[in-house]
Amino acid sequence: LMFIFAYLPYLLAEALDLSGIMAILFCGIVMSHYTHFNLSPTTQMTAQQSFRTLAFMAETAIFAYMGLSLPTLHHRFHWGFICS
């Protein structure tokens, strides 16, 4: 249920041609103040550990993707930008 409420503002903002990132930011601020304290202590720990695990997995996947795709990019170095 918390995943649905976290994803719903993004869908609504995109449907209205607004910024989905700002909607997620505002939703995260509001949910951090109200959602966590309305859960039981056991559910608080479970939700916290679940979100930390998901965040770690997402971060690992992004860094692995970026690291594996880096050799396929064709770079042009401009020494004027690097040396200045």
Side-chain angles (χ1 to χ4, degrees), residues 5-6 15 17 26 28 34 40 43 47 60 66-67 70 75 77 81:
F5 284 133
D17 291 330
F26 183 72
Y34 296 110
S40 67
T43 309
T60 302
M66 289 175 63
L70 186 63
H75 295 90
F77 291 105
F81 291 131

Side-chain angles (χ1 to χ4, degrees), residues 4-73:
I4 294 171
F5 284 133
Y7 192 59
L8 190 63
Y10 173 77
L11 292 176
L12 182 63
E14 288 295 322
L16 297 174
D17 291 330
L18 299 173
S19 175
I21 295 174
M22 292 302 292
I24 291 174
L25 176 69
F26 183 72
C27 178
I29 292 170
V30 171
M31 284 183 70
S32 70
H33 285 288
Y34 296 110
T35 306
H36 186 72
F37 299 110
N38 288 327
L39 299 173
S40 67
T42 305
T43 309
Q44 285 179 0
M45 289 299 295
T46 304
Q48 185 177 17
Q49 293 301 320
S50 298
F51 283 122
R52 282 185 181 175
T53 303
L54 286 172
F56 177 75
M57 290 171 38
E59 183 177 346
T60 302
I62 289 170
F63 279 116
Y65 177 74
M66 289 175 63
L68 291 173
S69 68
L70 186 63
T72 63
L73 297 175

